[in-house]
Amino acid sequence: MASGRMETRLEDKRNMRRQEITQGWTLQVQGEKERIPAQVPGSVYYDLLRTGRMEDPFWRDNEDEALKWMEKDFVYETRFTPESGLFDTDEIRLCFDGLDTIADIYLNGCLLGRADNMHRAWAYSVTGMLLRGENSLRIYFHSPVKYIRERYAECVTMGSEHCMDGFPQIRKAHCMFGWDWGPRLPDAGIWKNVFLQGVEKGRLESVYVTQEHEEQKVTLYIRTEIASAGETQEDRAKAQELSYRVTVTDPQGNVRTEEDSPECLVITQPLLWWPNGYGEQNLYGICVQLMDGSREVDRWEKRIGLRTMTVHREKDVYGESFAHEVNGVQIFAMGADYIPEDNIFGRITGERTRKLLEQCRAANYNCIRVWGGGFYPHDDFYDACDELGLVVWQDLMFACAVYELTEDFDKNIRAEIRDNVRRLRHHASLGLWCGNNEMEMFVDEGQWVNTLKQKADYIKMYEYIIPQVLKEEDPQTFYWPASPSSGGSFDAPNDPDRGDVHYWEVWHGDKPFSEYRKYYFRYASEFGFQSFPCLKTVEAFTLPEDRNIFSYVMDKHQRNDAANGKIMKYLYQTFLYPTDFDTLLYASQLLQGEAIKYGVEHFRRNRGRCMGAVYWQLNDCWPVASWSSIDYYGRWKALHYYAKRFFAPILLSCREEGMMTQNTNVNAQPFQMEKSVTFNVSNETPEDKVVRVVWAVRDRFGGILQKEETELSVPTLSSVWMEKRELPDMKIREEYISYDLFEDDRWVSGSTVILTLPRFFRYEDPQLTVESGDGEVIVRAKAYAKSVEIRNRNENLVLEDNYFDMNAGERRVKVVCGEIKDLTVRSVFDIR
């Protein structure tokens, strides 16, 4: 983890010598004599920023100047003295957990080797080369921009038009070269730990723990791979003398140890791991100690969850099902797609990652997809997912590109996948491996493909090479060749009735929100709608004169072609025209929330046929207009509050028929429109529920004109429809419908719906007021208020709820974090 730690330490607790090399590093830019202090782990951009050599690349259009730095080469150098205990071991290894990317490594002036893959770990035996006194370590990083330019000239491999030409030529986070939400800032440097490792006789090269589940017991099978300290026959013979010991600690702290290299051990009365919302996230500690007699020489220590995890696929009347199945239970996946949290990876800390994932659980996620154009996250990410109950859809790092499969590339990606599979396969949260993002679909359509060989290479990579590695390294985890896919071999990869789907007709296709209701996808793994971040985030990268969405600087922070105009087009379909910049930002976030709500609620109402709603996207890597629900600074957009509601374990939703679903042309002759509501209750909990649904037709002031109340039984893991209600006499521009669900007397879910477009509704001024006290915010309204936003001056409040609808009266909202002073409040009435 790039945590900024600078200490050098020797770990004796496992009798295996390990010395971190984090101190004394300098960075030298090609052509310059000056050496600046460097932080390891870190990066070139990180060091240039820390030392004042570079301005903030996220400010205005500074990205262009920052990109020029990457035309240069860079040298990282340090001097270190090995701890004396290392020389008492049989082998000393110099290890790099991550080098970004094309790097020549020199120890005491001797070339150890060249690294050429950011996603791999690199290790070199330095026994006999390491001096007992001071040693020099020098890493020469070649310009990533020059590298891809030269390789592209030799062999054309194409990909996303938002990226720099040649980006598929280097095994580096693709989004560093640009995306339709990210800047072109291809950083470089030592982005993970560097350390010396002393090996006594042997080390645990690999530990793989598999599970067999039976009634009231789980058998753990332990497979170890022991590497010798050296390559001679004598070295290998010493390693064969080693045994291992296994210790398991259950969630209550009970400890059990098995000696003499047990191949398996049985756990009775197991405490299972479940995704968020379905049960507890029980985790067992497991420690495998490599023993030389009674002396420990190496250790592998992790936490695992006892669970079965696969993807359930079964032919049915609709096509073929596709659902995460955990402990025999098919869950409805609710979550979003994750991208790197910062374009400068040295700023991605464990604390920051944990906070982001806690926001996912707070919004009722049970799933998260790691998108294939970024990086394999640090261990902290998966540890948090284990603890929070977030099933991880793990893309391999291939996205929106075509690759030239050579013998060297084949070898490189096999090593990359092996490294990361071995690092991550023990995690309880690991739901599946996925070969790539969107490549089967686009290659099938002929995009980016220059030769027939490149199309053939696609099949070789994702349907032979990668499955082969996974069969060797992690056969218990489900593999899916691409996202979207129906199973591979270019067999209708975006089929709505099989596999997973990326659906972009709402947004890229300019279709209205109601278009979602025409489809019953088996698993929607990407669908999204853009918005602008809030004003405080915009202020972080603009001057006052930039604060017009069509300005040059705002366009530099809008990477999707014509997207600002697209937001305005959808705005025209929905709201009145905002007459100030801040109100426009607010309106864009409401559009985003309403769009995704329209899709997710429809998918959840059709549980069983559809079993996943994973929207694009969770987060940002810089301050930008994008599809995220949490912006770069961690501020919740309206969408994240909407997600908390539409991902609620028990959800009351409404399928309305009105202008949105029929005819939005008020001048149509004759103007005919069905006016009706049909309510649905989704129960994504492990228990049957008895609930009470109350709905009413109300006037603009919240006065009740018609009211109904129904008690409903909703079985576990089901979706239940109520009877359709026709409302032929409803005055749609002056009346609205409220609906609420109660369990016993506790309010659980609810909202409001109007049957006209919001821009045509005759809102009364709700005369909103807001005050705070005792850790909560109190909002009062004198009329119907839609999409009520509460914010403080710094726009960093996190509330129990926000952007909610309310009838006339009072609403009390608990404060999760943030200062509760200088509060303001507004609603759709203020979009004018």
Side-chain angles (χ1 to χ4, degrees):
M1 188 67 210
S3 61
R5 294 175 298 178
M6 297 296 290
E7 77 274 11
T8 299
R9 68 180 185 273
L10 188 65
E11 297 184 355
D12 291 312
K13 65 180 181 181
R14 59 184 188 174
N15 295 322
M16 179 180 179
R17 309 297 184 180
R18 174 176 165 131
Q19 180 181 338
E20 305 287 342
I21 304 177
T22 59
Q23 290 184 334
W25 286 95
T26 60
L27 169 64
Q28 184 178 20
V29 180
Q30 177 192 26
E32 296 184 5
K33 293 182 179 181
E34 181 187 7
R35 295 181 180 182
I36 63 175
Q39 181 165 306
V40 171
S43 73
V44 170
Y45 281 149
Y46 195 32
D47 290 327
L48 293 175
L49 282 168
R50 285 189 317 107
T51 55
R53 293 291 311 278
M54 182 176 81
E55 294 184 356
D56 179 5
F58 297 167
W59 171 252
R60 304 193 80 217
D61 60 349
N62 281 355
E63 170 197 352
D64 296 340
E65 289 301 311
L67 177 58
K68 294 176 182 178
W69 283 99
M70 288 301 135
E71 293 282 352
K72 302 178 181 294
D73 296 347
F74 306 94
V75 177
Y76 278 87
E77 194 164 4
T78 190
R79 305 188 74 82
F80 65 94
T81 300
E83 298 286 345
S84 59
L86 286 166
F87 294 98
D88 297 330
T89 61
D90 298 308
E91 182 188 24
I92 305 173
R93 304 170 79 234
L94 178 59
C95 305
F96 303 88
D97 283 341
L99 296 172
D100 179 16
T101 293
I102 309 300
D104 301 326
I105 303 157
Y106 296 87
L107 178 64
N108 297 326
C110 297
L111 178 66
L112 288 180
R114 168 177 268 205
D116 60 358
N117 189 327
M118 174 185 183
H119 306 301
R120 285 179 59 183
W122 303 87
Y124 303 92
S125 181
V126 294
T127 311
M129 297 179 62
L130 204 63
L131 304 177
R132 289 185 176 269
E134 192 173 68
N135 292 256
S136 68
L137 178 58
R138 181 172 180 264
I139 306 176
Y140 189 101
F141 287 94
H142 297 263
S143 161
V145 173
K146 287 182 179 178
Y147 181 85
I148 63 170
R149 186 185 301 133
E150 292 167 1
R151 295 293 297 272
Y152 187 72
E154 296 169 1
C155 176
V156 175
T157 55
M158 300 180 68
S160 171
E161 67 275 14
H162 301 284
C163 300
M164 300 172 69
D165 287 344
F167 78 90
Q169 298 277 5
I170 188 171
R171 292 307 299 150
K172 175 178 173 66
H174 286 347
C175 63
M176 284 186 171
F177 294 99
W179 217 263
D180 59 358
W181 38 258
R184 294 178 176 177
L185 294 171
D187 205 354
I190 306 170
W191 75 290
K192 287 188 175 182
N193 291 327
V194 182
F195 58 93
L196 290 170
Q197 182 185 64
V199 183
E200 299 179 64
K201 289 194 175 181
R203 57 186 172 82
L204 289 166
E205 175 75 13
S206 169
V207 177
Y208 184 39
V209 180
T210 57
Q211 305 178 22
E212 182 180 281
H213 287 243
E214 299 173 85
E215 189 69 25
Q216 296 301 310
K217 74 172 185 179
V218 174
T219 303
L220 299 181
Y221 293 91
I222 315 297
R223 188 181 83 188
T224 63
E225 182 180 325
I226 299 172
S228 61
E231 296 298 325
T232 68
Q233 186 172 349
E234 181 182 358
D235 292 330
R236 288 191 288 270
K238 288 181 180 179
Q240 290 174 2
E241 296 172 0
L242 301 174
S243 64
Y244 63 86
R245 169 197 296 162
V246 179
T247 300
V248 175
T249 305
D250 73 18
Q252 278 79 42
N254 301 307
V255 179
R256 173 185 170 190
T257 300
E258 298 284 342
E259 306 279 355
D260 302 321
S261 305
E263 294 182 359
C264 66
L265 64 157
V266 176
I267 297 175
T268 57
Q269 303 298 315
L271 298 172
L272 299 182
W273 182 92
W274 290 94
N276 179 34
Y278 300 87
E280 297 299 318
Q281 287 75 58
N282 294 302
L283 294 171
Y284 285 70
I286 183 165
C287 179
V288 178
Q289 296 166 280
L290 189 62
M291 307 298 295
D292 180 16
S294 61
R295 191 168 64 93
E296 176 188 334
V297 295
D298 197 6
R299 173 183 297 200
W300 180 91
E301 193 166 11
K302 306 291 182 183
R303 291 181 304 169
I304 64 171
L306 303 184
R307 89 293 186 267
T308 61
M309 179 94 76
T310 189
V311 171
H312 183 89
R313 298 171 67 199
E314 183 179 7
K315 301 290 184 182
D316 58 23
V317 294
Y318 306 114
E320 185 179 71
S321 65
F322 191 92
H324 296 294
E325 184 175 288
V326 186
N327 302 324
V329 175
Q330 293 177 45
I331 72 168
F332 189 101
M334 300 185 289
D337 297 281
Y338 167 88
I339 65 169
E341 294 155 65
D342 203 306
N343 205 91
I344 299 173
F345 284 14
R347 299 196 291 213
I348 302 175
T349 65
E351 180 183 7
R352 183 175 176 182
T353 296
R354 174 80 190 204
K355 184 176 181 180
L356 176 64
L357 294 173
E358 285 174 345
Q359 310 312 305
C360 294
R361 180 169 170 126
N364 295 310
Y365 286 30
N366 60 34
C367 179
I368 192 162
R369 174 175 171 242
V370 177
W371 171 75
F375 74 122
Y376 302 93
H378 300 290
D379 293 344
D380 298 305
F381 177 94
Y382 302 93
D383 288 341
C385 288
D386 291 347
E387 295 167 13
L388 298 171
L390 302 176
V391 173
V392 177
W393 173 308
Q394 179 66 57
D395 280 5
L396 302 177
M397 291 303 116
F398 304 92
C400 297
V402 170
Y403 306 90
E404 188 77 13
L405 183 60
T406 63
E407 186 174 337
D408 286 344
F409 189 76
D410 182 348
K411 182 179 177 181
N412 200 351
I413 63 173
R414 284 178 188 266
E416 169 191 324
I417 295 164
R418 184 173 293 110
D419 281 357
N420 287 285
V421 169
R422 288 185 172 190
R423 178 170 67 94
L424 303 177
R425 63 192 174 189
H426 69 278
H427 282 283
S429 56
L430 179 63
L432 62 87
W433 300 107
C434 178
N436 68 77
N437 173 76
E438 293 191 339
M439 288 169 51
E440 182 184 3
M441 175 176 67
F442 284 125
V443 169
D444 186 43
E445 294 172 359
Q447 289 200 39
W448 309 322
V449 179
N450 291 300
T451 66
L452 291 176
K453 176 185 179 300
Q454 289 180 349
K455 186 166 186 176
D457 285 350
Y458 175 91
I459 294 292
K460 291 175 187 176
M461 284 178 61
Y462 304 104
E463 300 188 22
Y464 177 71
I465 292 172
I466 292 173
Q468 189 179 61
V469 176
L470 290 171
K471 185 177 180 180
E472 295 169 357
E473 299 294 341
D474 191 19
Q476 279 206 331
T477 301
F478 182 86
Y479 173 67
W480 194 236
S483 181
S485 182
S486 298
S489 302
F490 304 121
D491 179 15
N494 212 20
D495 188 336
D497 298 319
R498 296 179 293 158
D500 73 308
V501 165
H502 292 191
Y503 178 74
W504 285 103
E505 287 304 300
V506 176
W507 182 257
H508 287 304
D510 294 326
K511 298 291 186 182
F513 303 163
S514 57
E515 194 76 6
Y516 282 117
R517 292 187 183 171
K518 296 181 180 179
Y519 300 95
Y520 302 85
F521 305 125
R522 310 318 300 265
Y523 190 117
S525 54
E526 266 196 37
F527 59 103
F529 194 97
Q530 261 206 18
S531 74
F532 298 107
C534 69
L535 182 60
K536 277 297 178 184
T537 292
V538 172
E539 288 175 351
F541 65 86
T542 60
L543 291 171
E545 59 263 34
D546 301 324
R547 292 168 199 156
N548 181 304
I549 66 165
F550 298 125
S551 73
Y552 178 76
V553 169
M554 289 296 288
D555 248 14
K556 289 293 285 184
H557 290 253
Q558 168 56 276
R559 310 310 283 245
N560 185 224
D561 299 343
N564 289 353
K566 194 179 293 288
I567 290 172
M568 296 303 291
K569 180 177 181 179
Y570 278 102
L571 181 72
Y572 158 73
Q573 297 172 13
T574 312
F575 296 123
L576 294 177
Y577 185 79
T579 53
D580 68 84
F581 182 71
D582 183 36
T583 304
L584 175 55
L585 303 184
Y586 165 65
S588 79
Q589 292 198 20
L590 298 188
L591 283 173
Q592 181 187 36
E594 292 291 334
I596 304 307
K597 173 188 175 183
Y598 227 87
V600 173
E601 290 189 345
H602 167 67
F603 299 145
R604 289 196 64 184
R605 288 195 289 264
N606 290 278
R607 190 198 197 280
R609 186 171 181 180
C610 180
M611 290 299 288
V614 178
Y615 65 80
W616 185 269
Q617 67 204 69
L618 169 62
N619 60 305
D620 288 321
C621 66
W622 72 318
V624 64
S626 80
W627 298 267
S628 71
S629 62
I630 297 180
D631 76 18
Y632 173 74
Y633 295 105
R635 296 182 171 109
W636 286 33
K637 292 184 180 179
L639 174 56
H640 211 70
Y641 287 101
Y642 274 70
K644 184 177 181 180
R645 295 192 291 267
F646 60 59
F647 285 157
I650 303 172
L651 169 70
L652 173 64
S653 66
C654 176
R655 178 188 170 97
E656 93 290 353
E657 287 295 339
M659 287 193 74
M660 182 73 79
T661 60
Q662 295 168 76
N663 191 349
T664 59
N665 181 7
V666 296
N667 297 308
Q669 292 293 326
F671 187 81
Q672 296 176 330
M673 185 179 71
E674 176 186 335
K675 293 179 280 187
S676 69
V677 289
T678 311
F679 297 104
N680 178 281
V681 180
S682 303
N683 177 11
E684 200 61 28
T685 77
E687 300 171 347
D688 297 340
K689 297 291 182 180
V690 176
V691 299
R692 181 166 50 93
V693 175
V694 180
W695 68 274
V697 178
R698 297 174 180 260
D699 63 25
R700 292 177 292 169
F701 294 94
I704 295 175
L705 306 175
Q706 176 184 343
K707 182 177 179 180
E708 289 190 19
E709 184 172 325
T710 304
E711 188 174 276
L712 194 66
S713 295
V714 189
T716 177
L717 307 179
S718 73
S719 177
V720 174
W721 288 93
M722 295 175 62
E723 185 179 347
K724 184 176 183 178
R725 287 288 187 266
E726 302 277 358
L727 300 167
D729 299 324
M730 183 175 172
K731 300 175 182 177
I732 63 173
R733 294 185 62 206
E734 299 177 4
E735 298 169 3
Y736 70 99
I737 298 143
S738 65
Y739 52 95
D740 298 280
L741 181 145
F742 299 87
E743 187 176 6
D744 298 324
D745 292 325
R746 181 176 64 91
W747 184 91
V748 174
S749 178
S751 189
T752 72
V753 65
I754 57 178
L755 301 188
T756 185
L757 301 182
R759 64 189 173 106
F760 294 150
F761 193 81
R762 294 173 179 168
Y763 292 100
E764 285 290 332
D765 184 353
Q767 299 178 49
L768 293 171
T769 61
V770 60
E771 61 183 79
S772 61
D774 297 326
E776 64 180 8
V777 173
I778 303 100
V779 180
R780 294 183 179 90
K782 293 186 177 180
Y784 172 45
K786 188 167 182 59
S787 303
V788 174
E789 179 203 54
I790 307 161
R791 59 177 177 168
N792 62 7
R793 181 177 296 176
N794 200 38
E795 299 196 75
N796 62 354
L797 271 179
V798 177
L799 301 170
E800 177 188 33
D801 199 7
N802 206 350
Y803 301 93
F804 51 79
D805 300 348
M806 65 180 292
N807 306 314
E810 181 180 282
R811 176 77 182 268
R812 291 176 175 266
V813 182
K814 293 180 181 177
V815 177
V816 177
C817 65
E819 290 186 332
I820 48 175
K821 61 181 183 180
D822 299 322
L823 299 178
T824 58
V825 63
R826 58 183 166 180
S827 70
V828 169
F829 174 82
D830 298 296
I831 302 176
R832 58 187 61 238

